[in-house]
Amino acid sequence: MRVAIAGAGAVGRSIAAELVGGDHQVMLIEREATQFEPHTVEQAEWVLADACELASLEDAGVQLCDCVIAATGDDKVNLVVSLLAKTVFAVKRVVARVNDPSNEWLFTSAWGVDVAVSTPRVLAAMVEEAVSVGGLVQLLTLRQGQANLVEMTLPDDTPWAGRPVRDVKLPRDAALVTILRGGRVIVPQPDDPLEGGDELLFVASAHVEGEIRNALGH
């Protein structure tokens, strides 16, 4: 993929380094000369420009990118970048960083955002996931809130131990996509048995999460 990242602070550079390591083409757009440090991610293309300016984005070639990541420390900037990327340049995938959780409600398709990433929310979800057994934990919001990635850890004494995946009657808008067991990642098949301690990952609409909990709660 060709990816443009607005904001070359610590977060933007870290994302760029990860993507470059995955053999993606990365362009970092930074407006502050003090943060313009091409030597920190040498494999990336660096552009000194204001990502909120239409002409700057066009000159940088954002219209040729598969994905734009708005990763600055300013939510207003991230929203403007997202809106321009989606509505003017028709970028397929727009990911935006949410710095202030109180602004999270703004980061929707109305502003061109496909995926909003709130660090406080992600950290809270990781804590919940680490300590929660038998409960459903929301890990990530997908498709502008239309679906979530959620996790449930089966208790050691679960009555589901030994029963096959096909016996789990999930609601229509939910799918079991992965079972994490020890160090293994299992793509579940109908005949695969469940075990106590399994971490089950689902993609589901928010309105059916209660039904998932009920389906595995007895």
Side-chain angles (χ1 to χ4, degrees):
M1 291 191 302
R2 180 168 174 78
V3 182
I5 301 173
V11 173
R13 292 197 304 270
S14 296
I15 297 170
E18 289 289 335
L19 291 172
V20 165
D23 293 328
H24 298 295
Q25 293 179 308
V26 178
M27 173 173 60
L28 276 162
I29 305 173
E30 176 55 54
R31 67 178 179 181
E32 300 293 340
T34 55
Q35 292 195 150
F36 194 78
E37 301 176 328
H39 66 277
T40 58
V41 189
E42 293 181 347
Q43 304 94 324
E45 175 186 352
W46 286 70
V47 176
L48 184 60
D50 187 344
C52 290
E53 293 183 355
L54 193 60
S56 297
L57 293 177
E58 187 171 9
D59 290 344
V62 167
Q63 63 273 18
L64 303 176
C65 292
D66 303 294
C67 177
V68 165
I69 302 173
T72 79
D74 188 325
D75 284 345
K76 296 186 296 295
V77 171
N78 291 343
L79 285 171
V80 171
V81 171
S82 298
L83 186 63
L84 292 176
K86 181 65 71 175
T87 61
V88 177
F89 298 103
V91 176
K92 294 179 182 177
R93 190 75 164 171
V94 177
V95 179
R97 172 188 177 188
V98 184
N99 296 278
D100 184 345
S102 67
N103 294 330
E104 194 170 359
W105 66 276
L106 287 166
F107 286 74
T108 67
S109 58
W111 279 93
V113 178
D114 293 310
V115 178
V117 181
S118 170
T119 301
R121 178 183 287 272
V122 171
L123 290 175
M126 293 300 102
V127 171
E128 288 186 49
E129 190 273 335
V131 302
S132 176
V133 175
L136 206 62
V137 178
Q138 185 182 121
L139 300 180
L140 188 65
T141 299
L142 310 170
R143 299 295 298 171
Q144 303 94 46
Q146 296 176 30
N148 298 318
L149 178 66
V150 296
E151 184 267 356
M152 172 181 281
T153 299
L154 295 179
D156 292 336
D157 61 350
T158 177
W160 285 94
R163 296 179 62 180
V165 168
R166 67 171 179 272
D167 284 357
V168 181
K169 304 304 180 185
L170 293 176
R172 179 178 179 181
D173 294 332
L176 174 61
V177 293
T178 303
I179 299 173
L180 303 179
R181 181 179 296 158
R184 298 175 59 203
V185 177
I186 302 169
V187 178
Q189 302 299 316
D191 292 331
D192 288 342
L194 297 171
E195 294 182 8
D198 281 354
E199 295 180 53
L200 311 179
L201 297 183
F202 303 88
V203 173
S205 297
H207 70 275
V208 301
E209 291 179 9
E211 295 179 52
I212 297 174
R213 192 180 299 108
N214 292 337
L216 288 160
H218 56 79

